[in-house]
């Protein structure tokens, strides 16, 4: 399963996304595609989107912790990694 | 309306909304920071004031390194969510906190006790454990003492063959409690990865409703069942890791590298997925 959340996608990419995804809300996409297909689609997304798309992709994977997160451009919260576990920094202390 | 407003949203932790051991993340290691509760969730604030929420019910164990503090409420919530807290010293010794796990009842523990106190059944369990390690040998007539002798020899040979494989000098296993730094590099990695393995296994064993204190092969130590089970996994998770890392680290001990590589192997070998099945295999249907 893949969930994509974006701030702003180019119309062409947004249209193309609907080949695989349903869009229950504007710029929120959900799909049940398998891992092998997901890799290709996510790669396509990252290649086609400009940096200000604010892209957040969540994918189900089949080994612990069973999810993977990608972020691109304008991330409100940085993705943290503690011992290989992806978490979200809610507040950054130093910068 | 006002009644609605005052109603607190509170999800009760019970066995239906906690994941099974096999679906959890094995462990995370935290040091220099603080664990506390905020809005009913567990938050980690590190020494640089970065704030991260931890999905505690998805974790099998938290290893707390030096320089960490934790609040009373955090211990309560973490243990109620069936996540084990281990305090890890600089010398890799572990101290545990265990909560009353809502996912387990006493059925499994009762079965374990019945097998352990019956001499004949106890040896049968030990033989089943050893038959995994010696698939070519017939262990059905061997006594506990003979089995342990076989195991000692196997491990010594294993150390030597791994030392040869990776081209690492080996003078034997040494471990003096409290004098971690005195051991050579391979021994230091062995000690700390063994300690982490014991932490994960203790947590998993509790979560599955068994007792780490009732063993079949080992006895007279604080966690005999943990040591019994650990022997099934040590070869690849600890021994091979220790020799391959000694080769790669080039003489300088780096605990973060050890923890990271150990965790990768735990996930690769599907330890948490296998432990439930392996205990059932050992104890018999």
């Amino acid at each position: 399963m893949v969930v994509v959340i974006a701030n702003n996608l180019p119309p062409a990419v947004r249209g193309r996304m609907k080949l695989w995804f349903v869009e229950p809300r504007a710029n929120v996409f959900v799909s049940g595609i398998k891992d092998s297909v997901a890799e290709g689609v996510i790669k396509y997304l990252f290649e086609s989107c400009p940096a200000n798309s604010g892209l957040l992709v969540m994918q189900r994977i089949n080994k612990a912790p069973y999810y993977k997160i990608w972020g691109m451009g304008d991330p409100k919260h940085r993705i943290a990694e503690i011992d290989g576990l992806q978490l979200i920094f809610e507040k950054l202390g130093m910068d | 309306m006002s009644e609605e407003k005052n109603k607190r949203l509170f999800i009760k932790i019970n066995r239906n909304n906690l994941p099974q051991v096999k679906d959890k993340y094995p462990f995370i290691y935290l040091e220099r920071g603080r664990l506390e509760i905020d809005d009913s969730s567990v938050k980690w604030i590190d020494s640089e004031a970065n704030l991260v929420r931890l999905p505690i019910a998805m974790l099998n164990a938290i290893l707390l390194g030096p320089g960490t503090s934790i609040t009373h409420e955090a211990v309560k919530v973490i243990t109620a969510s069936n996540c084990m807290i281990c305090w890890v010293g600089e010398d890799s010794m572990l101290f545990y906190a265990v909560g009353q796990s809502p996912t387990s009842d006493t059925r499994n523990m009762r079965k374990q006790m019945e097998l352990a106190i019956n001499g004949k059944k106890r040896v049968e369990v030990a033989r089943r454990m050893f038959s995994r390690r010696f698939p070519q040998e017939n262990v059905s007539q061997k006594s506990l003492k003979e089995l342990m002798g076989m195991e000692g020899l196997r491990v010594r040979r294993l150390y030597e063959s791994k030392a040869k494989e990776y081209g690492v000098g080996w003078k034997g296993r040494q471990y003096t409690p409290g004098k971690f730094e005195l051991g050579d590099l391979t021994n230091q990695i062995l000690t700390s990865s063994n300690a982490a393995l014991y932490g994960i296994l203790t947590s998993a064993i509790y979560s599955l409703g068994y007792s780490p204190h009732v063993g079949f092969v080992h006895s007279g130590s604080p966690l005999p069942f943990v040591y019994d089970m650990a022997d099934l996994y040590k070869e690849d998770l600890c021994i091979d890791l220790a020799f391959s890392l000694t080769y790669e680290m080039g003489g300088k001990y780096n605990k973060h590298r050890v923890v990271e590589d150990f965790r990768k192997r735990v996930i690769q070998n599907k330890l948490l997925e296998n432990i439930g099945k392996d205990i059932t295999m050992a104890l018999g249907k």
Side-chain angles (χ1 to χ4, degrees), chain A residues 65-66 83-85 87 89-93, chain B residues 22 25 28-29 48-53 55 263:
Chain A
Y66 304 104
D83 280 349
L85 181 65
L87 299 167
F89 276 129
E90 289 192 9
K91 218 162 69 187
L92 287 169
Chain B
K22 67 180 171 67
Y25 198 67
I28 61 171
Y29 173 80
E48 290 169 355
N50 299 315
L51 193 159
V52 176
R53 306 265 172 181
R263 173 184 43 78

mmCIF file with all atom_site columns, all heavy atoms in Angstrom, chain A residues 65-66 83-85 87 89-93, chain B residues 22 25 28-29 48-53 55 263:
data_model
loop_
_atom_site.group_PDB
_atom_site.id
_atom_site.type_symbol
_atom_site.label_atom_id
_atom_site.label_alt_id
_atom_site.label_comp_id
_atom_site.label_asym_id
_atom_site.label_entity_id
_atom_site.label_seq_id
_atom_site.pdbx_PDB_ins_code
_atom_site.Cartn_x
_atom_site.Cartn_y
_atom_site.Cartn_z
_atom_site.occupancy
_atom_site.B_iso_or_equiv
_atom_site.pdbx_formal_charge
_atom_site.auth_seq_id
_atom_site.auth_comp_id
_atom_site.auth_asym_id
_atom_site.auth_atom_id
_atom_site.pdbx_PDB_model_num
ATOM 1   N N   . PRO A 1 65  ? 10.362 -2.001  10.116 1.00 0.00 ? 65  PRO A N   1
ATOM 2   C CA  . PRO A 1 65  ? 9.124  -1.712  10.847 1.00 0.00 ? 65  PRO A CA  1
ATOM 3   C C   . PRO A 1 65  ? 7.863  -1.727  9.979  1.00 0.00 ? 65  PRO A C   1
ATOM 4   O O   . PRO A 1 65  ? 6.858  -1.177  10.366 1.00 0.00 ? 65  PRO A O   1
ATOM 5   C CB  . PRO A 1 65  ? 9.383  -0.314  11.382 1.00 0.00 ? 65  PRO A CB  1
ATOM 6   C CG  . PRO A 1 65  ? 10.244 0.320   10.348 1.00 0.00 ? 65  PRO A CG  1
ATOM 7   C CD  . PRO A 1 65  ? 11.057 -0.770  9.724  1.00 0.00 ? 65  PRO A CD  1
ATOM 8   N N   . TYR A 1 66  ? 7.935  -2.311  8.791  1.00 0.00 ? 66  TYR A N   1
ATOM 9   C CA  . TYR A 1 66  ? 6.782  -2.499  7.899  1.00 0.00 ? 66  TYR A CA  1
ATOM 10  C C   . TYR A 1 66  ? 6.262  -1.213  7.266  1.00 0.00 ? 66  TYR A C   1
ATOM 11  O O   . TYR A 1 66  ? 5.171  -1.200  6.704  1.00 0.00 ? 66  TYR A O   1
ATOM 12  C CB  . TYR A 1 66  ? 5.652  -3.275  8.603  1.00 0.00 ? 66  TYR A CB  1
ATOM 13  C CG  . TYR A 1 66  ? 6.148  -4.593  9.135  1.00 0.00 ? 66  TYR A CG  1
ATOM 14  C CD1 . TYR A 1 66  ? 6.409  -4.778  10.495 1.00 0.00 ? 66  TYR A CD1 1
ATOM 15  C CD2 . TYR A 1 66  ? 6.431  -5.641  8.277  1.00 0.00 ? 66  TYR A CD2 1
ATOM 16  C CE1 . TYR A 1 66  ? 6.934  -5.958  10.981 1.00 0.00 ? 66  TYR A CE1 1
ATOM 17  C CE2 . TYR A 1 66  ? 6.943  -6.828  8.736  1.00 0.00 ? 66  TYR A CE2 1
ATOM 18  C CZ  . TYR A 1 66  ? 7.197  -6.982  10.085 1.00 0.00 ? 66  TYR A CZ  1
ATOM 19  O OH  . TYR A 1 66  ? 7.712  -8.159  10.553 1.00 0.00 ? 66  TYR A OH  1
ATOM 20  N N   . ASP A 1 83  ? 18.131 4.361   14.945 1.00 0.00 ? 83  ASP A N   1
ATOM 21  C CA  . ASP A 1 83  ? 18.384 2.926   14.804 1.00 0.00 ? 83  ASP A CA  1
ATOM 22  C C   . ASP A 1 83  ? 17.601 2.308   13.649 1.00 0.00 ? 83  ASP A C   1
ATOM 23  O O   . ASP A 1 83  ? 17.007 1.238   13.797 1.00 0.00 ? 83  ASP A O   1
ATOM 24  C CB  . ASP A 1 83  ? 18.024 2.190   16.109 1.00 0.00 ? 83  ASP A CB  1
ATOM 25  C CG  . ASP A 1 83  ? 19.119 2.334   17.137 1.00 0.00 ? 83  ASP A CG  1
ATOM 26  O OD1 . ASP A 1 83  ? 20.192 2.812   16.769 1.00 0.00 ? 83  ASP A OD1 1
ATOM 27  O OD2 . ASP A 1 83  ? 18.888 1.966   18.296 1.00 0.00 ? 83  ASP A OD2 1
ATOM 28  N N   . GLY A 1 84  ? 17.552 3.017   12.527 1.00 0.00 ? 84  GLY A N   1
ATOM 29  C CA  . GLY A 1 84  ? 16.876 2.443   11.363 1.00 0.00 ? 84  GLY A CA  1
ATOM 30  C C   . GLY A 1 84  ? 15.370 2.591   11.382 1.00 0.00 ? 84  GLY A C   1
ATOM 31  O O   . GLY A 1 84  ? 14.694 2.212   10.433 1.00 0.00 ? 84  GLY A O   1
ATOM 32  N N   . LEU A 1 85  ? 14.824 3.128   12.460 1.00 0.00 ? 85  LEU A N   1
ATOM 33  C CA  . LEU A 1 85  ? 13.382 3.323   12.551 1.00 0.00 ? 85  LEU A CA  1
ATOM 34  C C   . LEU A 1 85  ? 13.080 4.759   12.151 1.00 0.00 ? 85  LEU A C   1
ATOM 35  O O   . LEU A 1 85  ? 13.610 5.691   12.743 1.00 0.00 ? 85  LEU A O   1
ATOM 36  C CB  . LEU A 1 85  ? 12.923 3.052   13.987 1.00 0.00 ? 85  LEU A CB  1
ATOM 37  C CG  . LEU A 1 85  ? 11.430 3.191   14.266 1.00 0.00 ? 85  LEU A CG  1
ATOM 38  C CD1 . LEU A 1 85  ? 10.650 2.143   13.489 1.00 0.00 ? 85  LEU A CD1 1
ATOM 39  C CD2 . LEU A 1 85  ? 11.142 3.015   15.746 1.00 0.00 ? 85  LEU A CD2 1
ATOM 40  N N   . LEU A 1 87  ? 11.201 8.070   12.126 1.00 0.00 ? 87  LEU A N   1
ATOM 41  C CA  . LEU A 1 87  ? 10.277 8.798   12.999 1.00 0.00 ? 87  LEU A CA  1
ATOM 42  C C   . LEU A 1 87  ? 10.251 10.251  12.533 1.00 0.00 ? 87  LEU A C   1
ATOM 43  O O   . LEU A 1 87  ? 10.988 10.628  11.629 1.00 0.00 ? 87  LEU A O   1
ATOM 44  C CB  . LEU A 1 87  ? 10.756 8.710   14.454 1.00 0.00 ? 87  LEU A CB  1
ATOM 45  C CG  . LEU A 1 87  ? 10.836 7.299   15.045 1.00 0.00 ? 87  LEU A CG  1
ATOM 46  C CD1 . LEU A 1 87  ? 11.607 7.313   16.335 1.00 0.00 ? 87  LEU A CD1 1
ATOM 47  C CD2 . LEU A 1 87  ? 9.451  6.721   15.278 1.00 0.00 ? 87  LEU A CD2 1
ATOM 48  N N   . PHE A 1 89  ? 10.706 14.286  13.511 1.00 0.00 ? 89  PHE A N   1
ATOM 49  C CA  . PHE A 1 89  ? 11.101 15.319  14.468 1.00 0.00 ? 89  PHE A CA  1
ATOM 50  C C   . PHE A 1 89  ? 9.948  16.309  14.600 1.00 0.00 ? 89  PHE A C   1
ATOM 51  O O   . PHE A 1 89  ? 9.593  16.983  13.636 1.00 0.00 ? 89  PHE A O   1
ATOM 52  C CB  . PHE A 1 89  ? 12.333 16.086  13.956 1.00 0.00 ? 89  PHE A CB  1
ATOM 53  C CG  . PHE A 1 89  ? 13.640 15.426  14.262 1.00 0.00 ? 89  PHE A CG  1
ATOM 54  C CD1 . PHE A 1 89  ? 14.583 15.218  13.265 1.00 0.00 ? 89  PHE A CD1 1
ATOM 55  C CD2 . PHE A 1 89  ? 13.950 15.033  15.554 1.00 0.00 ? 89  PHE A CD2 1
ATOM 56  C CE1 . PHE A 1 89  ? 15.802 14.612  13.545 1.00 0.00 ? 89  PHE A CE1 1
ATOM 57  C CE2 . PHE A 1 89  ? 15.170 14.428  15.837 1.00 0.00 ? 89  PHE A CE2 1
ATOM 58  C CZ  . PHE A 1 89  ? 16.089 14.218  14.834 1.00 0.00 ? 89  PHE A CZ  1
ATOM 59  N N   . GLU A 1 90  ? 9.357  16.425  15.769 1.00 0.00 ? 90  GLU A N   1
ATOM 60  C CA  . GLU A 1 90  ? 8.268  17.384  15.921 1.00 0.00 ? 90  GLU A CA  1
ATOM 61  C C   . GLU A 1 90  ? 8.809  18.773  16.158 1.00 0.00 ? 90  GLU A C   1
ATOM 62  O O   . GLU A 1 90  ? 8.186  19.769  15.826 1.00 0.00 ? 90  GLU A O   1
ATOM 63  C CB  . GLU A 1 90  ? 7.361  16.960  17.078 1.00 0.00 ? 90  GLU A CB  1
ATOM 64  C CG  . GLU A 1 90  ? 6.576  15.731  16.706 1.00 0.00 ? 90  GLU A CG  1
ATOM 65  C CD  . GLU A 1 90  ? 5.462  15.418  17.673 1.00 0.00 ? 90  GLU A CD  1
ATOM 66  O OE1 . GLU A 1 90  ? 5.182  16.244  18.558 1.00 0.00 ? 90  GLU A OE1 1
ATOM 67  O OE2 . GLU A 1 90  ? 4.899  14.329  17.550 1.00 0.00 ? 90  GLU A OE2 1
ATOM 68  N N   . LYS A 1 91  ? 9.954  18.825  16.820 1.00 0.00 ? 91  LYS A N   1
ATOM 69  C CA  . LYS A 1 91  ? 10.562 20.119  17.090 1.00 0.00 ? 91  LYS A CA  1
ATOM 70  C C   . LYS A 1 91  ? 12.061 19.948  17.006 1.00 0.00 ? 91  LYS A C   1
ATOM 71  O O   . LYS A 1 91  ? 12.605 18.973  17.515 1.00 0.00 ? 91  LYS A O   1
ATOM 72  C CB  . LYS A 1 91  ? 10.182 20.576  18.501 1.00 0.00 ? 91  LYS A CB  1
ATOM 73  C CG  . LYS A 1 91  ? 9.925  22.065  18.582 1.00 0.00 ? 91  LYS A CG  1
ATOM 74  C CD  . LYS A 1 91  ? 9.150  22.436  19.819 1.00 0.00 ? 91  LYS A CD  1
ATOM 75  C CE  . LYS A 1 91  ? 9.931  22.263  21.090 1.00 0.00 ? 91  LYS A CE  1
ATOM 76  N NZ  . LYS A 1 91  ? 9.134  22.457  22.284 1.00 0.00 ? 91  LYS A NZ  1
ATOM 77  N N   . LEU A 1 92  ? 12.718 20.867  16.316 1.00 0.00 ? 92  LEU A N   1
ATOM 78  C CA  . LEU A 1 92  ? 14.173 20.788  16.244 1.00 0.00 ? 92  LEU A CA  1
ATOM 79  C C   . LEU A 1 92  ? 14.753 21.791  17.218 1.00 0.00 ? 92  LEU A C   1
ATOM 80  O O   . LEU A 1 92  ? 14.379 22.959  17.206 1.00 0.00 ? 92  LEU A O   1
ATOM 81  C CB  . LEU A 1 92  ? 14.648 21.084  14.825 1.00 0.00 ? 92  LEU A CB  1
ATOM 82  C CG  . LEU A 1 92  ? 14.391 19.971  13.806 1.00 0.00 ? 92  LEU A CG  1
ATOM 83  C CD1 . LEU A 1 92  ? 14.650 20.461  12.409 1.00 0.00 ? 92  LEU A CD1 1
ATOM 84  C CD2 . LEU A 1 92  ? 15.262 18.759  14.111 1.00 0.00 ? 92  LEU A CD2 1
ATOM 85  N N   . GLY A 1 93  ? 15.644 21.312  18.058 1.00 0.00 ? 93  GLY A N   1
ATOM 86  C CA  . GLY A 1 93  ? 16.142 22.174  19.113 1.00 0.00 ? 93  GLY A CA  1
ATOM 87  C C   . GLY A 1 93  ? 17.136 23.213  18.644 1.00 0.00 ? 93  GLY A C   1
ATOM 88  O O   . GLY A 1 93  ? 17.018 24.395  18.974 1.00 0.00 ? 93  GLY A O   1
ATOM 89  N N   . LYS B 2 22  ? 5.827  -10.819 16.691 1.00 0.00 ? 22  LYS B N   1
ATOM 90  C CA  . LYS B 2 22  ? 6.434  -10.987 15.359 1.00 0.00 ? 22  LYS B CA  1
ATOM 91  C C   . LYS B 2 22  ? 6.281  -9.749  14.469 1.00 0.00 ? 22  LYS B C   1
ATOM 92  O O   . LYS B 2 22  ? 6.974  -9.613  13.480 1.00 0.00 ? 22  LYS B O   1
ATOM 93  C CB  . LYS B 2 22  ? 5.898  -12.236 14.667 1.00 0.00 ? 22  LYS B CB  1
ATOM 94  C CG  . LYS B 2 22  ? 4.446  -12.190 14.283 1.00 0.00 ? 22  LYS B CG  1
ATOM 95  C CD  . LYS B 2 22  ? 4.063  -13.500 13.601 1.00 0.00 ? 22  LYS B CD  1
ATOM 96  C CE  . LYS B 2 22  ? 2.576  -13.618 13.383 1.00 0.00 ? 22  LYS B CE  1
ATOM 97  N NZ  . LYS B 2 22  ? 2.018  -12.680 12.425 1.00 0.00 ? 22  LYS B NZ  1
ATOM 98  N N   . TYR B 2 25  ? 9.075  -3.912  15.909 1.00 0.00 ? 25  TYR B N   1
ATOM 99  C CA  . TYR B 2 25  ? 10.439 -3.520  15.588 1.00 0.00 ? 25  TYR B CA  1
ATOM 100 C C   . TYR B 2 25  ? 11.318 -3.998  16.737 1.00 0.00 ? 25  TYR B C   1
ATOM 101 O O   . TYR B 2 25  ? 10.969 -3.764  17.901 1.00 0.00 ? 25  TYR B O   1
ATOM 102 C CB  . TYR B 2 25  ? 10.519 -1.998  15.447 1.00 0.00 ? 25  TYR B CB  1
ATOM 103 C CG  . TYR B 2 25  ? 11.742 -1.529  14.724 1.00 0.00 ? 25  TYR B CG  1
ATOM 104 C CD1 . TYR B 2 25  ? 11.919 -1.806  13.378 1.00 0.00 ? 25  TYR B CD1 1
ATOM 105 C CD2 . TYR B 2 25  ? 12.723 -0.813  15.383 1.00 0.00 ? 25  TYR B CD2 1
ATOM 106 C CE1 . TYR B 2 25  ? 13.051 -1.373  12.704 1.00 0.00 ? 25  TYR B CE1 1
ATOM 107 C CE2 . TYR B 2 25  ? 13.860 -0.377  14.716 1.00 0.00 ? 25  TYR B CE2 1
ATOM 108 C CZ  . TYR B 2 25  ? 14.014 -0.668  13.383 1.00 0.00 ? 25  TYR B CZ  1
ATOM 109 O OH  . TYR B 2 25  ? 15.133 -0.247  12.718 1.00 0.00 ? 25  TYR B OH  1
ATOM 110 N N   . ILE B 2 28  ? 15.201 -0.168  19.895 1.00 0.00 ? 28  ILE B N   1
ATOM 111 C CA  . ILE B 2 28  ? 15.969 1.033   19.566 1.00 0.00 ? 28  ILE B CA  1
ATOM 112 C C   . ILE B 2 28  ? 16.843 1.383   20.765 1.00 0.00 ? 28  ILE B C   1
ATOM 113 O O   . ILE B 2 28  ? 16.507 1.061   21.909 1.00 0.00 ? 28  ILE B O   1
ATOM 114 C CB  . ILE B 2 28  ? 15.112 2.241   19.134 1.00 0.00 ? 28  ILE B CB  1
ATOM 115 C CG1 . ILE B 2 28  ? 14.150 2.682   20.225 1.00 0.00 ? 28  ILE B CG1 1
ATOM 116 C CG2 . ILE B 2 28  ? 14.350 1.981   17.865 1.00 0.00 ? 28  ILE B CG2 1
ATOM 117 C CD1 . ILE B 2 28  ? 13.466 3.994   19.903 1.00 0.00 ? 28  ILE B CD1 1
ATOM 118 N N   . TYR B 2 29  ? 17.984 1.973   20.462 1.00 0.00 ? 29  TYR B N   1
ATOM 119 C CA  . TYR B 2 29  ? 18.940 2.333   21.507 1.00 0.00 ? 29  TYR B CA  1
ATOM 120 C C   . TYR B 2 29  ? 18.944 3.852   21.639 1.00 0.00 ? 29  TYR B C   1
ATOM 121 O O   . TYR B 2 29  ? 19.107 4.575   20.656 1.00 0.00 ? 29  TYR B O   1
ATOM 122 C CB  . TYR B 2 29  ? 20.326 1.819   21.104 1.00 0.00 ? 29  TYR B CB  1
ATOM 123 C CG  . TYR B 2 29  ? 21.434 2.275   22.026 1.00 0.00 ? 29  TYR B CG  1
ATOM 124 C CD1 . TYR B 2 29  ? 21.646 1.638   23.244 1.00 0.00 ? 29  TYR B CD1 1
ATOM 125 C CD2 . TYR B 2 29  ? 22.256 3.348   21.681 1.00 0.00 ? 29  TYR B CD2 1
ATOM 126 C CE1 . TYR B 2 29  ? 22.660 2.067   24.091 1.00 0.00 ? 29  TYR B CE1 1
ATOM 127 C CE2 . TYR B 2 29  ? 23.271 3.773   22.529 1.00 0.00 ? 29  TYR B CE2 1
ATOM 128 C CZ  . TYR B 2 29  ? 23.455 3.117   23.736 1.00 0.00 ? 29  TYR B CZ  1
ATOM 129 O OH  . TYR B 2 29  ? 24.445 3.539   24.572 1.00 0.00 ? 29  TYR B OH  1
ATOM 130 N N   . GLU B 2 48  ? 20.157 17.556  22.172 1.00 0.00 ? 48  GLU B N   1
ATOM 131 C CA  . GLU B 2 48  ? 20.143 18.781  21.362 1.00 0.00 ? 48  GLU B CA  1
ATOM 132 C C   . GLU B 2 48  ? 18.740 19.364  21.271 1.00 0.00 ? 48  GLU B C   1
ATOM 133 O O   . GLU B 2 48  ? 18.443 20.171  20.387 1.00 0.00 ? 48  GLU B O   1
ATOM 134 C CB  . GLU B 2 48  ? 20.684 18.476  19.965 1.00 0.00 ? 48  GLU B CB  1
ATOM 135 C CG  . GLU B 2 48  ? 22.166 18.185  19.988 1.00 0.00 ? 48  GLU B CG  1
ATOM 136 C CD  . GLU B 2 48  ? 22.682 17.627  18.686 1.00 0.00 ? 48  GLU B CD  1
ATOM 137 O OE1 . GLU B 2 48  ? 21.874 17.367  17.776 1.00 0.00 ? 48  GLU B OE1 1
ATOM 138 O OE2 . GLU B 2 48  ? 23.899 17.434  18.602 1.00 0.00 ? 48  GLU B OE2 1
ATOM 139 N N   . ALA B 2 49  ? 17.857 18.912  22.169 1.00 0.00 ? 49  ALA B N   1
ATOM 140 C CA  . ALA B 2 49  ? 16.474 19.396  22.269 1.00 0.00 ? 49  ALA B CA  1
ATOM 141 C C   . ALA B 2 49  ? 15.604 19.074  21.056 1.00 0.00 ? 49  ALA B C   1
ATOM 142 O O   . ALA B 2 49  ? 14.604 19.728  20.816 1.00 0.00 ? 49  ALA B O   1
ATOM 143 C CB  . ALA B 2 49  ? 16.441 20.891  22.568 1.00 0.00 ? 49  ALA B CB  1
ATOM 144 N N   . ASN B 2 50  ? 15.995 18.073  20.272 1.00 0.00 ? 50  ASN B N   1
ATOM 145 C CA  . ASN B 2 50  ? 15.097 17.594  19.218 1.00 0.00 ? 50  ASN B CA  1
ATOM 146 C C   . ASN B 2 50  ? 14.018 16.734  19.860 1.00 0.00 ? 50  ASN B C   1
ATOM 147 O O   . ASN B 2 50  ? 14.300 15.968  20.787 1.00 0.00 ? 50  ASN B O   1
ATOM 148 C CB  . ASN B 2 50  ? 15.853 16.735  18.201 1.00 0.00 ? 50  ASN B CB  1
ATOM 149 C CG  . ASN B 2 50  ? 16.955 17.505  17.518 1.00 0.00 ? 50  ASN B CG  1
ATOM 150 O OD1 . ASN B 2 50  ? 16.754 18.628  17.102 1.00 0.00 ? 50  ASN B OD1 1
ATOM 151 N ND2 . ASN B 2 50  ? 18.132 16.892  17.438 1.00 0.00 ? 50  ASN B ND2 1
ATOM 152 N N   . LEU B 2 51  ? 12.791 16.858  19.350 1.00 0.00 ? 51  LEU B N   1
ATOM 153 C CA  . LEU B 2 51  ? 11.690 16.118  19.966 1.00 0.00 ? 51  LEU B CA  1
ATOM 154 C C   . LEU B 2 51  ? 11.138 15.079  18.987 1.00 0.00 ? 51  LEU B C   1
ATOM 155 O O   . LEU B 2 51  ? 10.781 15.413  17.860 1.00 0.00 ? 51  LEU B O   1
ATOM 156 C CB  . LEU B 2 51  ? 10.607 17.118  20.348 1.00 0.00 ? 51  LEU B CB  1
ATOM 157 C CG  . LEU B 2 51  ? 9.495  16.660  21.275 1.00 0.00 ? 51  LEU B CG  1
ATOM 158 C CD1 . LEU B 2 51  ? 8.854  17.868  21.929 1.00 0.00 ? 51  LEU B CD1 1
ATOM 159 C CD2 . LEU B 2 51  ? 8.441  15.863  20.565 1.00 0.00 ? 51  LEU B CD2 1
ATOM 160 N N   . VAL B 2 52  ? 11.075 13.850  19.434 1.00 0.00 ? 52  VAL B N   1
ATOM 161 C CA  . VAL B 2 52  ? 10.558 12.766  18.588 1.00 0.00 ? 52  VAL B CA  1
ATOM 162 C C   . VAL B 2 52  ? 9.566  11.951  19.407 1.00 0.00 ? 52  VAL B C   1
ATOM 163 O O   . VAL B 2 52  ? 9.840  11.615  20.548 1.00 0.00 ? 52  VAL B O   1
ATOM 164 C CB  . VAL B 2 52  ? 11.705 11.840  18.115 1.00 0.00 ? 52  VAL B CB  1
ATOM 165 C CG1 . VAL B 2 52  ? 11.166 10.672  17.335 1.00 0.00 ? 52  VAL B CG1 1
ATOM 166 C CG2 . VAL B 2 52  ? 12.710 12.591  17.278 1.00 0.00 ? 52  VAL B CG2 1
ATOM 167 N N   . ARG B 2 53  ? 8.401  11.668  18.821 1.00 0.00 ? 53  ARG B N   1
ATOM 168 C CA  . ARG B 2 53  ? 7.439  10.776  19.514 1.00 0.00 ? 53  ARG B CA  1
ATOM 169 C C   . ARG B 2 53  ? 7.793  9.332   19.143 1.00 0.00 ? 53  ARG B C   1
ATOM 170 O O   . ARG B 2 53  ? 8.077  9.050   17.979 1.00 0.00 ? 53  ARG B O   1
ATOM 171 C CB  . ARG B 2 53  ? 6.021  11.042  19.045 1.00 0.00 ? 53  ARG B CB  1
ATOM 172 C CG  . ARG B 2 53  ? 5.604  12.452  19.168 1.00 0.00 ? 53  ARG B CG  1
ATOM 173 C CD  . ARG B 2 53  ? 4.862  12.717  20.441 1.00 0.00 ? 53  ARG B CD  1
ATOM 174 N NE  . ARG B 2 53  ? 4.677  14.158  20.550 1.00 0.00 ? 53  ARG B NE  1
ATOM 175 C CZ  . ARG B 2 53  ? 4.090  14.749  21.551 1.00 0.00 ? 53  ARG B CZ  1
ATOM 176 N NH1 . ARG B 2 53  ? 3.639  14.048  22.572 1.00 0.00 ? 53  ARG B NH1 1
ATOM 177 N NH2 . ARG B 2 53  ? 3.961  16.049  21.575 1.00 0.00 ? 53  ARG B NH2 1
ATOM 178 N N   . PRO B 2 55  ? 6.594  5.423   18.724 1.00 0.00 ? 55  PRO B N   1
ATOM 179 C CA  . PRO B 2 55  ? 5.434  4.519   18.667 1.00 0.00 ? 55  PRO B CA  1
ATOM 180 C C   . PRO B 2 55  ? 5.708  3.281   19.526 1.00 0.00 ? 55  PRO B C   1
ATOM 181 O O   . PRO B 2 55  ? 6.075  2.223   19.022 1.00 0.00 ? 55  PRO B O   1
ATOM 182 C CB  . PRO B 2 55  ? 5.319  4.183   17.183 1.00 0.00 ? 55  PRO B CB  1
ATOM 183 C CG  . PRO B 2 55  ? 6.682  4.395   16.631 1.00 0.00 ? 55  PRO B CG  1
ATOM 184 C CD  . PRO B 2 55  ? 7.416  5.354   17.508 1.00 0.00 ? 55  PRO B CD  1
ATOM 185 N N   . ARG B 2 263 ? 21.334 -4.839  14.936 1.00 0.00 ? 263 ARG B N   1
ATOM 186 C CA  . ARG B 2 263 ? 19.913 -4.661  14.638 1.00 0.00 ? 263 ARG B CA  1
ATOM 187 C C   . ARG B 2 263 ? 19.590 -5.119  13.212 1.00 0.00 ? 263 ARG B C   1
ATOM 188 O O   . ARG B 2 263 ? 18.584 -5.785  12.975 1.00 0.00 ? 263 ARG B O   1
ATOM 189 C CB  . ARG B 2 263 ? 19.515 -3.197  14.806 1.00 0.00 ? 263 ARG B CB  1
ATOM 190 C CG  . ARG B 2 263 ? 18.106 -2.895  14.347 1.00 0.00 ? 263 ARG B CG  1
ATOM 191 C CD  . ARG B 2 263 ? 17.775 -1.427  14.434 1.00 0.00 ? 263 ARG B CD  1
ATOM 192 N NE  . ARG B 2 263 ? 18.839 -0.570  13.957 1.00 0.00 ? 263 ARG B NE  1
ATOM 193 C CZ  . ARG B 2 263 ? 19.102 -0.347  12.668 1.00 0.00 ? 263 ARG B CZ  1
ATOM 194 N NH1 . ARG B 2 263 ? 18.395 -0.930  11.739 1.00 0.00 ? 263 ARG B NH1 1
ATOM 195 N NH2 . ARG B 2 263 ? 20.080 0.465   12.328 1.00 0.00 ? 263 ARG B NH2 1
#
